[in-house]
């Protein structure tokens, strides 16, 4: 299953090094956040696949450096002014033919975290001074938008709130590169204050959210009792037979509305939420971080049970079924399985 999972990722990798999220018509794009998560299995590998993904993302930021420069001088007012989250697959260009929730501070934090992770694994992540300049500008970008209290669309690209998972991603990213570029201490202080003020909630609207698992893995911002609290709340409220719902009332691929739309009424479809497959290996990784080896193994086995075929894991199953949505396989799902499997094989 491990070999087949890597084959899935290979099929999703574009020649320039980034990954489309899924072969489906809906997901034939490259997202910054997805590429961070999909590339994680390669961070400790003796090849250049990890660097290649980040070089292409650095080139993306270099191409749109003019936009970043504007954002360093002016706080954005409109969604399209922010750094975009999703790009065309081959040219890696902004997409302007439909509205999108591009205000996603967590993707910037995730990218910075991934750069720092590569450096810790002795990979050559920085090619030249221009790359360093881009990293520094992204730090100042987070400072200018005031990530710690600027409402963003979050990991699920929906309505804007201050999300604990987004704040945590930025904290992790800034800490990850603080020895590489200048990171003002106030940026971390403000972030931690916001995160702890929200704890244990994800946001004002959401008491608990699947995205909060990122605070434990891969970001390792919360551990011990606080990490246990987050995992316990996710398991109690969101865990289902074939996956983990993102949050109570999620309408994305709800059995009452089988669409791929994103701007939906809030808290309207309770009991019909889609079951996200990568929630299972994610819980496995979180339990491993917390020292719960048996629970980690349990969730890994659950992940293997829901595979459609060896290595093939969908984005989600419709509530209470084994019917996957069209976004199958999902690169993020397969990457999380690889990470959990390899971690437990050590």
């Amino acid at each position: 299953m491990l070999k087949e999972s890597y084959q899935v990722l290979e099929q999703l990798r574009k020649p320039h090094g980034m990954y489309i999220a899924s072969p489906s018509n809906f997901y034939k794009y490259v997202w910054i956040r997805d590429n961070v998560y999909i590339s994680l299995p390669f961070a400790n590998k003796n090849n250049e696949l990890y660097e290649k993904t980040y070089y292409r993302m650095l080139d993306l930021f270099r191409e749109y450096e003019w936009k970043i420069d504007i954002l360093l001088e002016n706080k954005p007012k409109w969604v399209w002014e922010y750094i975009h989250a999703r790009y065309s697959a081959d040219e890696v260009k902004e997409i302007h033919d439909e509205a999108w929730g591009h205000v996603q501070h967590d993707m910037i934090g995730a990218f910075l975290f991934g750069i720092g992770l590569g450096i810790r694994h002795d990979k050559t992540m920085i090619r030249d001074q221009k790359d360093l300049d881009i990293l520094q500008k992204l730090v100042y970008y987070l400072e200018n938008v005031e990530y710690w209290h600027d409402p963003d669309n979050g990991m699920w690209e929906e309505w804007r709130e201050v999300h604990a998972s987004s704040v945590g991603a930025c904290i992790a990213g800034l800490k990850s590169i603080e020895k590489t570029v200048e990171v003002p201490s106030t940026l971390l202080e403000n972030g931690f204050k916001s995160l702890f003020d929200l704890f244990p909630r994800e946001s004002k609207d959401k008491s608990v959210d699947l995205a909060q698992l990122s605070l434990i893995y891969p970001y390792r911002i919360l551990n011990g009792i606080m990490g246990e609290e987050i995992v316990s709340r996710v398991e109690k409220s969101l865990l289902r037979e074939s996956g983990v719902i993102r949050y109570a009332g999620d309408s994305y691929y709800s059995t009452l509305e089988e669409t791929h739309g994103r701007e939906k009424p809030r808290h309207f479809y309770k009991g019909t939420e889609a079951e996200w497959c990568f929630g299972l290996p994610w819980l496995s990784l979180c339990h491993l971080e917390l020292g719960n080896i048996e629970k980690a193994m349990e969730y890994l086995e659950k992940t293997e049970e829901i595979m459609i075929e060896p290595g093939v894991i969908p984005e989600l199953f419709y509530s209470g079924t084994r019917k996957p949505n069209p976004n199958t396989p999902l690169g993020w799902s397969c990457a999380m399985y690889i990470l959990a499997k390899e971690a437990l094989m050590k």
Side-chain angles (χ1 to χ4, degrees):
M1 293 181 184
L2 197 57
K3 177 182 176 182
E4 288 84 356
S5 296
Y6 273 112
Q7 289 174 347
V8 169
L9 298 190
E10 179 64 30
Q11 292 165 3
L12 299 177
R13 186 184 303 115
K14 303 295 290 184
H16 52 59
M18 293 183 71
Y19 301 81
I20 57 172
S22 172
S24 79
N25 289 329
F26 301 136
Y27 277 16
K28 285 184 177 179
Y29 305 100
V30 293
W31 275 265
I32 292 175
R33 181 193 307 99
D34 283 63
N35 272 268
V36 170
Y37 278 89
I38 293 173
S39 66
L40 284 175
F42 303 101
N44 62 353
K45 299 298 188 297
N46 188 25
N47 57 45
E48 296 181 351
L49 293 177
Y50 189 81
E51 297 97 307
K52 189 173 182 180
T53 301
Y54 278 86
Y55 292 162
R56 186 60 189 87
M57 288 195 282
L58 280 164
D59 288 343
L60 182 165
F61 289 125
R62 288 166 78 141
E63 182 175 350
Y64 288 100
E65 185 179 11
W66 62 268
K67 185 173 187 176
I68 299 173
D69 287 339
I70 293 173
L71 295 170
L72 296 183
E73 298 295 330
N74 304 279
K75 189 173 173 62
K77 297 179 180 179
W78 306 99
V79 169
W80 56 266
E81 292 181 285
Y82 285 82
I83 297 173
H84 283 203
R86 183 187 67 156
Y87 299 83
S88 60
D90 295 318
E91 299 84 6
V92 194
K93 302 288 187 182
E94 290 184 350
I95 301 166
H96 298 286
D97 59 355
E98 63 177 306
W100 203 260
H102 287 300
V103 190
Q104 298 175 36
H105 303 323
D106 76 291
M107 69 165 178
I108 302 299
F111 173 77
L112 297 178
F113 172 83
I115 290 285
L117 180 64
I119 292 172
R120 291 196 295 277
H121 283 286
D122 296 321
K123 293 186 175 294
T124 304
M125 303 300 293
I126 311 299
R127 297 166 295 181
D128 54 27
Q129 183 61 44
K130 175 57 72 174
D131 281 350
L132 275 177
D133 292 343
I134 291 294
L135 294 181
Q136 188 65 71
K137 287 182 178 183
L138 290 176
V139 171
Y140 292 149
Y141 166 79
L142 290 178
E143 180 177 39
N144 192 47
V145 299
E146 300 180 350
Y147 80 88
W148 56 92
H149 65 191
D150 182 46
D152 79 337
N153 295 114
M155 188 176 286
W156 312 134
E157 307 182 309
E158 296 185 324
W159 65 93
R160 289 181 67 175
E161 294 187 273
V162 178
H163 295 91
S165 57
S166 293
V167 173
C170 293
I171 293 171
L174 293 168
K175 286 181 63 65
S176 188
I177 62 163
E178 62 183 347
K179 294 181 180 178
T180 305
V181 296
E182 179 189 2
V183 177
S185 60
T186 53
L187 288 189
L188 292 169
E189 293 166 4
N190 290 334
F192 275 115
K193 183 181 185 306
S194 177
L195 182 64
F196 294 144
D197 284 347
L198 281 168
F199 184 83
R201 300 182 67 90
E202 162 70 348
S203 66
K204 180 181 177 181
D205 279 357
K206 298 173 185 174
S207 172
V208 56
D209 191 296
L210 172 59
Q212 289 177 275
L213 294 184
S214 64
L215 301 173
I216 303 163
Y217 184 91
Y219 299 137
R220 298 182 171 94
I221 297 296
L222 299 182
N223 51 34
I225 294 175
M226 297 182 79
E228 294 279 3
E229 174 71 7
I230 294 297
V231 169
S232 175
R233 287 164 61 86
V234 168
E235 290 175 328
K236 181 179 179 180
S237 300
L238 308 181
L239 180 62
R240 300 293 186 267
E241 186 64 29
S242 301
V244 182
I245 68 171
R246 298 189 300 182
Y247 55 88
D250 182 13
S251 65
Y252 181 70
Y253 280 106
S254 161
T255 51
L256 294 184
E257 186 164 351
E258 297 183 4
T259 83
H260 61 280
R262 295 182 179 274
E263 290 296 335
K264 296 292 164 40
R266 309 176 197 179
H267 312 306
F268 189 72
Y269 299 117
K270 290 183 179 179
T272 66
E273 303 94 338
E275 302 172 17
W276 284 64
C277 299
F278 62 47
L280 297 177
W282 209 339
L283 279 169
S284 177
L285 288 160
C286 288
H287 275 292
L288 195 59
E289 286 293 320
L290 297 170
N292 306 324
I293 307 300
E294 289 186 8
K295 290 294 292 184
M297 283 298 302
E298 178 184 326
Y299 283 113
L300 181 66
E301 292 168 0
K302 283 179 176 286
T303 306
E304 294 176 341
E305 290 171 4
I306 65 166
M307 287 184 178
I308 294 176
E309 57 185 83
V312 177
I313 309 175
E315 178 179 52
L316 55 85
F317 292 105
Y318 290 104
S319 178
T321 76
R322 282 295 175 88
K323 178 185 176 183
N325 74 341
N327 304 325
T328 303
L330 185 77
W332 193 340
S333 296
C334 298
M336 296 298 263
Y337 168 71
I338 291 170
L339 291 162
K341 182 74 170 181
E342 291 185 339
L344 285 164
M345 286 171 58
K346 291 181 180 178

